[in-house]
Amino acid sequence: MPLEQLPLVALQARKAFQTGRSKPIDFRVQQLKNLQRFITEKQKDITDALKKDLHKSENGTLLYELLGLEGEINMAIANLSVWMAPRPVAKNLLTISDEVYIQPEPLGVVLIIGAWNYPITVTLQPLVGAIAAGNAVVVKPSEVSCHTAKVLELLPLYLDPEMYPVVTGGVPETQELLKQRFDHIFYTGNSMVGKLVMEAAARHLTPVTLELGGKNPCYIDKDCDLEIACRRITWGKYINCGQTCISPDYILCEPSIQDKVVEEIRKSIKEFYTDDPKTFIDYGRIINQRHFKRIIALFEGSTVAIGGENDESQCYIAPTVLRDVTPESKVMQEEIFGPVLPIVPIKGVNEAIQFINEREKPLALYVFSSSNKVIKQMISETSSGALLANDCLIHYTISDLPFGGVGNSGMGCYHGKSTFDQLSHLRSCLIKRLGMEQLNGMRYPPHTAEKLRLARLLLLKQVSLGRVRHLVQATTLIMLKMFTMSLCHS
């Protein structure tokens, strides 16, 4: 699409939104069902595209890209009437007779900028919430996963084409889109581009959700079951060839268990990917040669304990572990985003916590320990987008857990109802009758000590709707019982 046409795309989406047709629940549900139909009917196209882009197997794509997406759509359809409904809040005595509630309403036109590592799920999951919230959406898939982007171009054949246009292209197209006014921008990617997105959004005071990444620490306590811990870490690290924003970026452990950790990871790599991961169907590839060269350069100055084999012609890097890595090593200076796992020796949990806190807040933090005290200490003394004890990645599968970063790893969150709320304006509403004016006398001048005393009583006393409801029910039951007793005595 020519750059000069991109402002018209955003304008067309806004005009479509202004017709109001995205507000009724029936429209939203139908669009969500159409999105599900797109996924079902284009499943073969999707799996073929991801095989070309990232060497993902068909079953791997179904498991890690489409299954969770289907769950998000089903959840939104099943709960949309509840999510859209007014949400009553506690009142004070001054407003006890008023109707007071929060009304979710659509923001308007949302720009979703997808990522290339999971190009279906990280692009369409925010779209599910945006549709559910009643917004119009301009979808910009990542140009890096070019084959998948071509499949996503077919979305307007299933969704309202004016309300949900898809724009493909590279950096110039994204930059042009960011010049337009949107009501929310949802970006998934790295922190450097995230800052540029936020800067562009600031020109229009547009709120943003930034799903970024970073170096996710993985602390292994010396007293935990190392076989199970390393098995789960191996899975979390090398899935999608390490190109996962919440994959463990490095291990922190005491020197006394480093050899055992290396050997257990070696056994798990063989179990998952055979002796020859290069020929194994479920082991992926680096997205392109630029990223391949970037990752290979991170080996510099470190000792390879496992793997290290690579083939630039296929963008293949074997599952790799680096041992005795120092904080100053090249591999510790940036997010790896590849199948390379450094082990940094530390003296114990306190030094691990200090090491983590001296760096940017990560998107995920992993701790493996059989000690609840160690786990609780890690929770209370660190900060991260999420914390998992004794597992990796699995929190992403829980729609009721908000997914997002903190600090340099992002802002805002999504999944399930969190996406709906993130892409809605939660409007405060109060409806008062024009009668009972005497109750308002205390707020009008002149302001006297007696009025202040009354205001303190009326404004500071919170009234819980639940308690009021229970009180009314109890009173009704008492009156009913008294009425029944009077009948018996008559």
Side-chain angles (χ1 to χ4, degrees), residues 294-405:
R294 178 188 63 80
I295 295 167
I296 291 297
L298 297 179
F299 285 39
E300 182 183 321
S302 295
T303 302
V304 175
I306 301 172
E309 301 85 8
N310 59 86
D311 182 347
E312 184 175 349
S313 67
Q314 291 191 27
C315 290
Y316 167 78
I317 301 176
T320 298
V321 174
L322 307 177
R323 63 172 298 146
D324 296 312
V325 174
T326 65
E328 297 75 31
S329 299
K330 193 171 182 179
V331 74
M332 293 301 294
Q333 306 312 309
E334 63 178 77
E335 181 180 10
I336 297 168
F337 221 64
V340 180
L341 183 58
I343 300 177
V344 181
I346 44 87
K347 294 177 182 177
V349 64
N350 291 328
E351 187 176 328
I353 289 171
Q354 180 182 350
F355 189 95
I356 293 166
N357 289 339
E358 287 173 350
R359 287 154 180 80
E360 296 284 3
K361 295 179 181 180
L363 185 56
L365 192 161
Y366 302 109
V367 50
F368 286 82
S369 176
S370 56
S371 168
N372 195 51
K373 181 181 178 182
V374 168
I375 294 169
K376 295 297 184 184
Q377 183 182 358
M378 193 67 75
I379 292 173
S380 66
E381 296 183 17
T382 63
S383 178
S384 59
L387 182 143
L388 272 71
N390 298 321
D391 211 343
C392 295
L393 277 61
I394 207 71
H395 64 297
Y396 190 88
T397 67
I398 303 174
S399 293
D400 283 338
L401 274 180
F403 181 87

Side-chain angles (χ1 to χ4, degrees), residues 251-325:
I251 288 174
L252 297 171
C253 70
E254 295 186 33
S256 62
I257 65 170
Q258 183 176 209
D259 289 343
K260 179 68 172 173
V261 167
V262 169
E263 287 312 305
E264 290 298 337
I265 292 176
R266 189 192 308 275
K267 288 196 301 187
S268 294
I269 289 172
K270 182 177 180 179
E271 176 191 350
F272 296 161
Y273 302 113
T274 74
D275 286 322
D276 187 10
K278 188 176 183 181
T279 61
F280 189 63
I281 189 172
D282 283 318
Y283 188 72
R285 297 293 184 270
I286 303 304
I287 184 67
N288 57 31
Q289 290 191 337
R290 180 173 69 86
H291 280 283
F292 173 90
K293 292 176 180 177
R294 178 188 63 80
I295 295 167
I296 291 297
L298 297 179
F299 285 39
E300 182 183 321
S302 295
T303 302
V304 175
I306 301 172
E309 301 85 8
N310 59 86
D311 182 347
E312 184 175 349
S313 67
Q314 291 191 27
C315 290
Y316 167 78
I317 301 176
T320 298
V321 174
L322 307 177
R323 63 172 298 146
D324 296 312
V325 174

Side-chain angles (χ1 to χ4, degrees), residues 177-194:
L177 282 174
L178 288 171
K179 293 177 183 178
Q180 313 310 312
R181 184 173 72 85
F182 291 95
D183 299 293
H184 197 99
I185 298 175
F186 195 112
Y187 168 76
T188 303
N190 62 60
S191 300
M192 182 181 67
V193 177

Side-chain angles (χ1 to χ4, degrees), residues 219-233:
Y219 172 67
I220 306 177
D221 191 18
K222 65 180 180 180
D223 295 326
C224 78
D225 186 323
L226 291 181
E227 180 181 0
I228 292 176
C230 291
R231 196 165 189 264
R232 294 177 183 178
I233 292 167

